[in-house]
Amino acid sequence: MRRDSLRASTIIAGLCALAGLAGAGLLFDYWIFLATSVLITAVALQSLGLVIGRTGMISLCQMSFAGVGAWTVAALNRAGFPGGLAVWILIGGLAAAPFGIAIGLPALRLRGINLAIVTLGFATAFDAVLATITFPGQTEFVAVERPELFASDTGYFLFTLIAYALIAISLEFLARSRLGAAFLSIRHSERAAAAHGVDIVAAKLIAFAVSAFLAGISGGLLAGYLGTLVSDNFNMMQSLVLFVTATMVGAQFAEGAVIGGLLVTLVPELLRRLGLAQDVGAVLFAFGATHALSAGESMSEALRRLLRRLSPASEETARSAGNALPIATRLRRQLAAQPLAIEALTVRYGNVVALDRVDLVVPRAGVIGLIGPNGAGKSTLVDAVTGFLPQYQGSVRADGVRLDGMAAHLRARTGIRRTWQTTRIAPDLSVGEYVRLAARDLATADVAAILDWLGCPRGDRPVASVDAGTRRLLDLAGVVAARPLVVLLDEPAAGQSYDEALRLGQRIAEIPERFGSSVLLVEHDMDLVRAACSAVTVLDFGCVIASGLTREVLDLPIVRKAYLGAELAMEEAMDGI
């Protein structure tokens, strides 16, 4: 991960250096002026890409955050605050961050159009405030002072280029960190992210705060670029144009932000030279965003997909030798698996009783099956135990600690991990990034060992290129990599062939020995249950009807009748004729 970040950062720094040399040596003053605008817009787009592209939330007030940063810079300039423009810009970004947190609070409960309305309302309110006040120094014609070394237009282009490069490199490291993976996981499925111990509230607020900080930086850069500012520089329509552009180009990527900056800056210039109305540009951007949404990928994502096809696939480095996993010896935590104890667990939906006083124990180093017909309450039990269904009666204890009332992500951190009936892995992640999201501080060799053990693709493969059946294996790889107390597997064999399911059963049976985790397996495939489980508990209509050794329980008439239902009744009727 760190090596990938360093490689990408080196590429960004090199390209920016080339752009600086080319711009300073080849462009005339007017084009230098436009190139600076491209970079400032790219910074604003990157701030928006962090929210909409990585975290999957909507912000229609990004230029309002930029306005806060610009106003702060103008005020510090007029007051003669020490430090110069670079310091003022940082302070302006910090001033915008609390506004981002304030906007992020509704995002904890609102999504989609509702969140869009809230952010648009903030942009409208900010417009109204700017209409009643002036930017500091505006009426006195006090221009924002540039640093002496970068006072010329060419110098300020280089200053802005340095700022863009630093931001792009920082975001590259953020994107490849666990927090960056958490952002993408939240975008794809908040529940799945919480199941890996991600604090959804904190992650969303961090995303909005960092986004607002970067937008404030872009506003400060704009203040130094123009010298004096007016409210129209930060009106609501500017935010809407920025949002549409970010959606079209994929502003979460450094190259996408630059492409967007080029479009926002040069399309109006081209239309002016052709004698066309500026509104034509807005129509073109709207069509571009619509196409990106309908195609399911932005311009940057399409470009990256093309480059992946053209470049040879790299091999995962430092793979382990065969199946001799270092996990059991080098990295395996000295953690004794403790039982999961469920007592009198009851879940009601109005008058419907989904679970009725269910008792269940997952013993130390055990693999326990939970079976029953559709609608028996198996997934409801998993949801309740893992904290996604907190309204229940009874108690859930892990390692003797009562978990009732604890949020899902805190239960995951305590050691209760789960998979889902349908895979919820963010396709934007690579295979290795997903495993590292689930397990902190996992070395590359150990990621490769876990993937090799399950027969998964190498760690640098994009999840988007992996078939649905293999993604189910990745679900399992993610939860066992964290070495939790208990692993709850909700129908992990879905999408697997018969032979693959049997092999999976063997792997599940090895989990306690290799990873120190107990397992509760929810499954319909009885061959897999026989291969993996030493004991089973059977649910029917929310009640436990049998519990004990696997072979004995599966042969009980009451279990066969509950599981086979009408088919078994027909067979018995035929036997009686």
Side-chain angles (χ1 to χ4, degrees):
M1 293 291 289
R2 186 173 300 171
R3 183 168 54 250
D4 292 340
S5 298
L6 288 173
R7 182 170 61 247
S9 300
T10 301
I11 293 173
I12 292 172
L15 291 176
C16 286
L18 289 175
L21 291 173
L26 301 177
L27 296 181
F28 298 109
D29 289 346
Y30 179 67
W31 291 103
I32 281 286
F33 188 76
L34 290 180
T36 306
S37 178
V38 169
L39 293 172
I40 294 173
T41 305
V43 173
L45 285 169
Q46 282 193 305
S47 75
L48 187 55
L50 183 64
V51 172
I52 67 171
R54 296 200 178 276
T55 320
M57 299 181 290
I58 293 177
S59 175
L60 300 180
C61 58
Q62 214 67 12
M63 290 307 293
S64 300
F65 299 144
V68 172
W71 197 95
T72 303
V73 168
L76 294 173
N77 173 72
R78 190 175 66 173
F81 191 83
L85 183 59
V87 173
W88 303 341
I89 288 174
L90 288 175
I91 296 174
L94 293 173
F99 290 91
I101 294 174
I103 291 298
L105 290 174
L108 302 179
R109 294 186 175 274
L110 301 178
R111 297 173 183 83
I113 188 62
N114 295 322
L115 180 58
I117 291 173
V118 169
T119 58
L120 189 62
F122 177 78
T124 304
F126 189 79
D127 279 357
V129 171
L130 286 184
T132 61
I133 63 174
T134 59
F135 276 90
Q138 180 181 343
T139 56
E140 303 96 330
F141 299 101
V142 177
V144 174
E145 294 184 8
R146 297 175 178 177
E148 184 176 352
L149 185 61
F150 302 101
S152 66
D153 285 344
T154 300
Y156 197 72
F157 164 74
L158 295 175
F159 178 82
T160 307
L161 183 63
I162 293 170
Y164 169 79
L166 291 175
I167 290 171
I169 290 172
S170 298
L171 289 177
E172 184 64 36
F173 276 94
L174 175 63
R176 296 175 187 273
S177 68
R178 189 175 188 274
L179 179 59
F183 288 159
L184 291 175
S185 184
I186 289 171
R187 173 188 174 186
H188 190 69
S189 171
E190 291 185 15
R191 290 165 67 87
H196 288 307
V198 175
D199 188 335
I200 306 299
V201 172
K204 283 186 173 183
L205 292 180
I206 289 172
F208 262 105
V210 175
S211 175
F213 171 78
L214 295 178
I217 294 290
S218 72
L221 290 170
L222 186 63
Y225 175 63
L226 297 178
T228 57
L229 300 164
V230 294
S231 59
D232 281 346
N233 295 129
F234 308 99
N235 62 36
M236 180 180 65
M237 289 305 300
Q238 298 288 344
S239 291
L240 294 177
V241 170
L242 206 67
F243 176 82
V244 169
T245 306
T247 302
M248 175 174 60
V249 301
Q252 66 269 34
F253 304 111
E255 69 274 15
V258 172
I259 293 171
L262 288 168
L263 292 175
V264 170
T265 302
L266 298 184
V267 167
E269 178 69 17
L270 179 61
L271 293 175
R272 182 184 66 81
R273 291 176 179 248
L274 295 176
L276 298 176
Q278 295 294 309
D279 291 342
V280 174
V283 174
L284 293 176
F285 287 177
F287 274 119
T290 302
H291 173 73
L293 292 172
S294 60
E297 63 178 3
S298 63
M299 295 171 63
S300 295
E301 290 168 327
L303 177 61
R304 291 189 170 209
R305 177 170 52 82
L306 177 62
L307 292 176
R308 282 198 300 268
R309 288 182 177 179
L310 296 177
S311 62
S314 61
E315 293 295 328
E316 177 76 50
T317 58
R319 294 186 65 88
S320 62
N323 280 333
L325 295 176
I327 300 164
T329 55
R330 291 194 302 106
L331 285 183
R332 179 177 174 182
R333 295 177 182 176
Q334 301 301 313
L335 178 66
Q338 301 297 325
L340 170 68
I342 303 168
E343 301 176 18
L345 186 63
T346 302
V347 176
R348 291 185 173 87
Y349 299 105
N351 294 326
V352 177
V353 181
L355 292 175
D356 188 8
R357 298 187 62 80
V358 172
D359 294 328
L360 177 66
V361 173
V362 180
R364 175 180 177 176
V367 180
I368 306 302
L370 181 64
I371 66 174
N374 290 330
K378 303 185 297 297
S379 293
T380 298
L381 183 143
V382 174
D383 285 344
V385 170
T386 53
F388 292 96
L389 188 63
Q391 293 80 24
Y392 62 77
Q393 297 174 325
S395 69
V396 177
R397 288 183 173 85
D399 195 18
V401 177
R402 189 160 181 165
L403 305 182
D404 310 313
M406 188 180 293
H409 73 280
L410 295 178
R411 297 193 190 203
R413 294 177 183 179
T414 300
I416 305 298
R417 294 295 183 99
R418 67 167 297 176
T419 63
W420 306 84
Q421 287 187 5
T422 56
T423 182
R424 301 189 180 194
I425 304 175
D428 311 87
L429 295 170
S430 71
V431 169
E433 285 173 339
Y434 173 71
V435 176
R436 289 187 182 92
L437 171 65
R440 298 172 184 265
D441 302 325
L442 203 61
T444 300
D446 298 301
V447 172
I450 292 171
L451 296 176
D452 201 30
W453 174 65
L454 281 170
C456 294
R458 59 183 182 271
D460 59 355
R461 276 277 298 276
V463 171
S465 68
V466 175
D467 62 80
T470 305
R471 293 190 194 188
R472 300 309 307 271
L473 296 178
L474 290 180
D475 283 330
L476 179 58
V479 294
V480 299
R483 298 168 184 78
L485 291 173
V486 181
V487 174
L488 293 90
L489 305 177
D490 199 350
E491 299 187 20
Q496 305 287 320
S497 68
Y498 177 77
D499 291 338
E500 290 171 337
L502 289 181
R503 182 175 182 274
L504 177 62
Q506 295 172 354
R507 291 291 178 261
I508 292 173
E510 295 172 5
I511 288 175
E513 175 63 25
R514 291 185 178 273
F515 299 96
S517 303
S518 299
V519 180
L520 179 63
L521 172 64
V522 177
E523 187 53 67
H524 284 292
D525 188 329
M526 291 299 101
D527 290 331
L528 188 152
V529 171
R530 289 188 178 93
C533 301
S534 59
V536 294
T537 294
V538 187
L539 288 180
D540 194 20
F541 295 105
C543 298
V544 175
I545 62 171
S547 185
L549 298 177
T550 301
R551 181 177 300 178
E552 295 176 0
V553 170
L554 293 184
D555 287 337
L556 291 175
I558 189 174
V559 174
R560 296 180 63 211
K561 183 175 182 180
Y563 218 86
L564 299 178
E567 182 180 343
L568 181 61
M570 179 66 71
E571 290 180 2
E572 292 175 346
M574 293 297 293
D575 291 340
I577 295 177

